[in-house]
């Protein structure tokens, strides 16, 4: 059973439709990527799940039951537009936000100390937020989001403003949280991190879901049976497989690289057998579309 | 703990702990006490030095008529004017009272020479003595004994007594009531604006620092708004009570200072401040002491319990009404500059009611005063102005009920604007846009 599902959720603002019958299924203990160009309706959907906005139509189910206001304490939300009270001290503020999520003061204090030590920021406890850099503030915000061990975590652009070292730290923590039982919805424009982290994705464009499913299936359904061969050969003796179409060939540092399309009735082994006989193969692999390619292709397609 | 309570607690503590709050809390009563005390104090100060006045009386009418006062000593000269000036002003720094000879007329002209401007009590004393002396001489010349006139003089004490509902009689004094009325009206205006502005600033801060979305993922936007408003209202009440207590304390200390002046002076003759207090004591002697007890009596006549209770009620009611509108404005706008167009129409009724102070104090029971004390937007200030004069109970209840329903309505309305507005960034907001938000489900 899904941990969270939205069924035909629609939302109309004064003069435009923000969501049009959007349905997503988020399986427990998985990382779900919510993708889409700017203004597609991702934030609206996230706000509806967080009970910040109300939907006009449809249903949101948390563990099979319609979501209710008190459920927000099982959700941790890191919004894209995020900030902290500038004049308040870091520790005091983290305690306050944790208590708003329903934690007891003592419990929150203990957990916060653990996280601050883990992130090596214990010395910030009594600093005012305005003394911290943006990246430092983001770290505090991340801790506050996950502190109450929510069942469902929603991260909207979690890596913006972080250096690569901290991005890695965050990725590790996100994966660890998933392994400990949390379900994560992840919205970002950073496609590399989507491929790296997500199990499922949904692509929203113009307030509709245009693509959704397991990331592995989606990539497979978009592959065009093209293989890349890197090989070494004398100039006059380039490979010429019969019954296969060479899409492109390039040369770098004396190594040729060719992309070859395999037609429906052939297998990749047949191609390999042919070219092994002709040239010295350095590497041979299937060319898979990246999520980035799929994103651009699909969004452009729906534009037309 | 209840989440709204948590918000109230944060809003309250973060403000009460601020340096500016502590400074205001201490400075306010000092200023208030100072405005009451300082004029009297300064007047005494200028009279504090001992003066010697030489009298050069060419008429001979006033010989030995000037009696020594507490800080004035008189002595008499018989030289010509120039020599006298030399002797007194140049050599000793004394004052010189010159009463020139008149051939035919009664001596009504006199000149007082001095280096520094003589104080008011000096000149009024001289004038009084001369006036009584001449009057007595004239009366005697007409064959009337001045003693007869003196005994024929009467003082009329007119006390105005207001009969309240239930037949309780109370001594009243309109001047004190007018003063109290203006003071109460301005105080409530000041409090609503001061703390209303804090609500506006707080909401704008939450919006511009982008913390608002983090918070409303845990609590409802209306909870956040109400928590902030209530928290700041409590800050206002705290300040109000501290001011009352501290002002009372400062005034009490000063009064104690006056009445124990003699005692303290004998104990610590070298303490300068005590010398001043001691010398101020004679000026508060018999007549003013009576005035003082009179004022206390009038102040006792005013029901301070009612005043304070109604101040708290009308401050809370008016504050909730206006603060919710300020919160809506803070939520709707992005930048300080945009607040102006919305602040103006909201604050007009408040400013207008303060401007009505003349009308209200001259006709506290008139139709204008009555209707304006029913309209929730003006009632906090207007009712506070009317209460020192006494207001029929049914009017107070009507006004209170209307105020309560008024702030429920504005809070509901403001909540709708607020929860849409706080998540809107980079959009120029106008009235048409807000009207759209009001009709949105949200």
């Amino acid at each position: 059973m899904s941990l969270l599902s939205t069924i035909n959720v629609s939302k109309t603002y004064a003069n435009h439709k923000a969501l049009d019958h959007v349905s997503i299924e988020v399986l427990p203990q998985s990382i779900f990527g919510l993708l889409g160009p700017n203004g597609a309706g991702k934030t609206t959907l996230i706000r509806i799940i967080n009970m910040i906005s109300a939907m006009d139509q449809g249903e949101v189910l948390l563990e099979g039951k319609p979501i209710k206001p008190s459920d927000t304490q099982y959700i941790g939300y890191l919004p894209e537009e995020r900030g902290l009270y500038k004049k308040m001290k870091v520790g005091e503020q983290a305690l306050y936000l944790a208590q708003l999520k329903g934690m007891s003061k003592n419990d929150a204090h203990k957990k916060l100390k653990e996280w601050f030590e883990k992130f090596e920021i214990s010395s910030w406890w009594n600093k005012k937020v305005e003394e911290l850099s943006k990246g430092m503030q983001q770290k505090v915000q991340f801790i506050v989001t996950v502190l109450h061990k929510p069942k469902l975590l929603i991260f909207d652009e979690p890596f913006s403003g972080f250096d690569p070292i901290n991005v890695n730290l965050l990725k590790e923590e996100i994966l660890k949280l998933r392994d400990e039982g949390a379900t994560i919805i992840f919205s970002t424009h950073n496609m590399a991190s989507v491929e790296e982290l997500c199990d499922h994705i949904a692509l929203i464009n113009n307030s509709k879901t245009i693509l959704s499913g397991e990331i592995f299936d989606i990539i497979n359904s978009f592959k065009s049976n093209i293989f890349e061969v890197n090989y070494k050969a004398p100039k006059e003796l380039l490979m010429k497989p019969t019954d296969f179409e060479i899409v492109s060939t390039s040369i770098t540092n004396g190594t040729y690289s060719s992309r070859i399309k395999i037609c429906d009735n052939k297998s990749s082994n047949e191609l390999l057998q042919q070219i092994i006989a002709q040239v010295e193969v350095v590497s041979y692999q299937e060319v898979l579309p990246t999520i980035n390619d799929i994103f651009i292709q699909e969004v452009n397609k729906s534009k037309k | 703990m209840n989440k709204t309570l948590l918000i109230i607690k944060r809003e309250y503590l973060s403000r009460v702990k601020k340096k500016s709050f502590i400074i205001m809390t201490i400075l306010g009563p000092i200023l208030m006490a100072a405005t009451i005390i300082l004029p009297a104090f300064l007047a005494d100060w200028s009279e504090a030095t001992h003066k010697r006045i030489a009298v050069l009386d060419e008429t001979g009418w006033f010989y030995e008529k000037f009696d020594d006062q507490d800080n004035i000593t008189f002595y008499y000269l018989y030289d010509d004017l120039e020599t006298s000036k030399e002797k007194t002003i140049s050599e000793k720094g004394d004052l010189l009272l010159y009463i020139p000879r008149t051939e035919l007329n009664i001596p009504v002209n006199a000149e007082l020479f001095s280096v520094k401007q003589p104080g008011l009590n000096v000149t009024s004393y001289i004038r009084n003595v001369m006036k009584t002396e001449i009057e007595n001489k004239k009366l005697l010349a007409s064959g009337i004994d001045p003693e007869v006139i003196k005994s024929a003089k009467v003082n009329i004490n007119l006390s105005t007594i207001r009969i309240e509902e239930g037949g309780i009689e109370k001594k009243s004094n309109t001047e004190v009531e007018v003063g109290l009325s203006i003071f109460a009206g301005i105080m409530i205006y000041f409090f609503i604006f001061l703390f209303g502005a804090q609500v506006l600033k707080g909401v704008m801060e939450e919006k511009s620092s982008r913390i608002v979305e983090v918070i409303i993922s845990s609590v409802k936007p209306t909870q956040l708004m109400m928590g902030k408003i209530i928290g700041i209202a409590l800050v206002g009440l705290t300040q109000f009570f501290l001011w009352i207590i501290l002002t009372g304390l400062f005034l009490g200390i000063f009064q104690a200072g006056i009445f124990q002046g003699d005692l303290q002076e004998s104990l610590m003759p070298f303490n300068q401040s005590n010398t001043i207090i001691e010398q101020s004591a004679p000026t508060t002697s018999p007549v003013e002491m009576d005035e003082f007890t009179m004022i206390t009596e009038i102040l006792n006549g005013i029901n301070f319990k009612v005043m304070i209770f109604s101040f708290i009620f009308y401050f809370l009611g008016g504050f909730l009404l206006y603060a919710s509108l300020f919160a809506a404005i803070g939520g709707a706008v992005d930048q300080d500059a945009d607040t102006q167009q919305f602040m103006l129409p909201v604050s007009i009724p408040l400013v207008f009611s303060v401007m009505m102070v003349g009308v209200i104090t001259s006709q506290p029971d008139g139709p204008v005063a009555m209707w304006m004390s029913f309209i929730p937007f003006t009632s906090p200030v207007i009712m506070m102005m009317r209460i020192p004069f006494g207001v029929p109970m049914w009017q107070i209840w009507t006004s209170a009920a209307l105020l309560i329903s008024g702030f429920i309505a504005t809070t509901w309305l403001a909540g709708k604007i607020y929860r849409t507005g706080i998540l809107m960034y980079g959009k120029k907001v106008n009235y048409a846009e807000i009207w759209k938000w009001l009709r949105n489900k949200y």
Side-chain angles (χ1 to χ4, degrees), chain B residues 211-222:
Chain B
I211 195 177
V212 68
E213 196 165 349
V214 177
I215 293 179
I216 59 172
S217 70
S218 313
V219 300
K220 287 197 205 99
T222 24

Side-chain angles (χ1 to χ4, degrees), chain B residues 147-364:
Chain B
E147 288 301 314
V148 175
I149 300 286
K150 212 182 243 174
S151 67
K153 271 192 180 155
V154 280
N155 261 329
I156 307 297
N157 271 322
L158 178 65
S159 310
T160 51
I161 290 155
R162 195 174 59 230
I163 299 175
E164 298 205 332
E165 282 163 276
I168 302 157
E169 293 179 4
K170 226 177 232 171
K171 218 184 216 179
S172 66
N173 185 309
T174 317
E175 275 161 43
V176 175
E177 281 169 351
V178 168
L180 206 62
S181 158
I182 295 172
F183 179 73
I186 287 174
M187 271 295 271
I188 207 155
Y189 165 84
F190 177 67
F191 262 77
I192 289 176
F193 250 130
L194 189 74
F195 292 99
Q198 287 202 22
V199 172
L200 178 80
K201 225 179 99 195
V203 171
M204 285 182 71
E205 185 206 335
E206 270 166 3
K207 190 178 171 180
S208 66
S209 72
R210 305 284 198 263
I211 195 177
V212 68
E213 196 165 349
V214 177
I215 293 179
I216 59 172
S217 70
S218 313
V219 300
K220 287 197 205 99
T222 24
Q223 268 178 304
L224 176 60
M225 187 180 95
M226 285 319 290
K228 182 175 286 293
I229 290 175
I230 294 170
I232 293 175
L234 292 177
V235 176
L237 286 181
T238 308
Q239 184 124 66
F240 175 68
F241 280 121
L242 286 176
W243 276 6
I244 286 189
I245 293 167
L246 289 177
T247 307
L249 209 67
F250 289 149
L251 283 176
I253 289 170
F254 186 79
Q255 272 174 17
I258 287 178
F259 296 120
Q260 291 170 8
D262 293 330
L263 179 72
Q264 282 179 3
E265 205 248 356
S266 60
L267 289 174
M268 293 176 279
F270 303 112
N271 188 317
Q272 204 205 339
S273 67
N274 281 325
T275 330
I276 292 156
I277 289 165
E278 191 270 332
Q279 270 156 358
S280 72
T283 54
T284 50
S285 59
V287 186
E288 286 179 38
M289 276 291 279
D290 279 345
E291 264 173 29
F292 182 79
T293 45
M294 208 169 77
I295 288 172
T296 336
E297 206 173 288
I298 291 163
L299 289 181
N300 287 342
I302 290 158
N303 199 334
F304 275 102
K305 261 188 213 149
V306 170
M307 281 292 290
I308 289 175
F309 179 78
S310 39
F311 186 90
I312 292 167
F313 175 80
Y314 281 100
F315 166 64
L316 283 181
F319 176 77
L320 287 174
L321 184 98
Y322 279 101
S324 62
L325 293 177
F326 286 149
I329 295 172
V333 299
D334 251 352
Q335 290 152 351
D336 274 346
D338 295 340
T339 55
Q340 295 309 321
Q341 58 161 330
F342 299 108
M343 279 296 280
L344 189 68
V346 169
S347 30
I348 277 177
L350 207 53
V351 177
F352 180 70
S353 34
V354 168
M355 281 159 52
M356 293 302 283
V357 64
V359 179
I360 307 299
T361 47
S362 61
Q363 283 179 299

Side-chain angles (χ1 to χ4, degrees), chain B residues 72-193:
Chain B
I72 313 169
T73 326
F74 291 94
Y75 61 96
Y76 299 85
L77 291 175
Y78 308 98
D79 300 310
D80 63 287
L81 183 60
E82 286 313 309
T83 336
S84 305
K85 270 188 189 169
E86 190 92 346
K87 272 187 184 165
T88 54
I89 299 172
S90 315
E91 280 173 22
K92 298 184 205 150
D94 292 349
L95 289 84
L96 175 67
L97 176 65
Y98 173 58
I99 304 165
R101 188 206 318 272
T102 47
E103 295 299 337
L104 299 165
N105 296 325
I106 302 155
V108 289
N109 295 318
E111 284 162 337
L112 185 64
F113 298 95
S114 67
V115 182
K116 278 188 246 165
Q117 178 67 27
L120 197 67
N121 66 340
V122 175
T123 52
S124 64
Y125 176 73
I126 294 171
R127 201 173 282 131
N128 252 333
V129 170
M130 288 178 69
K131 191 174 162 237
T132 339
E133 199 51 41
I134 293 169
E135 276 174 6
N136 287 351
K137 284 242 163 77
K138 278 178 144 183
L139 287 170
L140 280 173
S142 331
I144 302 164
D145 185 357
E147 288 301 314
V148 175
I149 300 286
K150 212 182 243 174
S151 67
K153 271 192 180 155
V154 280
N155 261 329
I156 307 297
N157 271 322
L158 178 65
S159 310
T160 51
I161 290 155
R162 195 174 59 230
I163 299 175
E164 298 205 332
E165 282 163 276
I168 302 157
E169 293 179 4
K170 226 177 232 171
K171 218 184 216 179
S172 66
N173 185 309
T174 317
E175 275 161 43
V176 175
E177 281 169 351
V178 168
L180 206 62
S181 158
I182 295 172
F183 179 73
I186 287 174
M187 271 295 271
I188 207 155
Y189 165 84
F190 177 67
F191 262 77
I192 289 176
F193 250 130

Side-chain angles (χ1 to χ4, degrees), chain A residues 170-183:
Chain A
L170 237 61
K171 278 181 185 163
E172 276 168 32
E173 288 303 328
I174 290 174
L175 289 172
K176 211 187 278 172
L177 285 164
R178 191 222 19 217
D179 296 341
E180 285 167 8
T183 307

Side-chain angles (χ1 to χ4, degrees), chain A residues 11 77 81 83 85 100, chain B residues 3 206 209-210 213 217 442:
Chain A
K11 167 88 183 168
Y77 174 37
E81 296 282 5
Y85 288 110
L100 282 184
Chain B
K3 288 176 185 175
E206 270 166 3
S209 72
R210 305 284 198 263
E213 196 165 349
S217 70
Y442 82 91

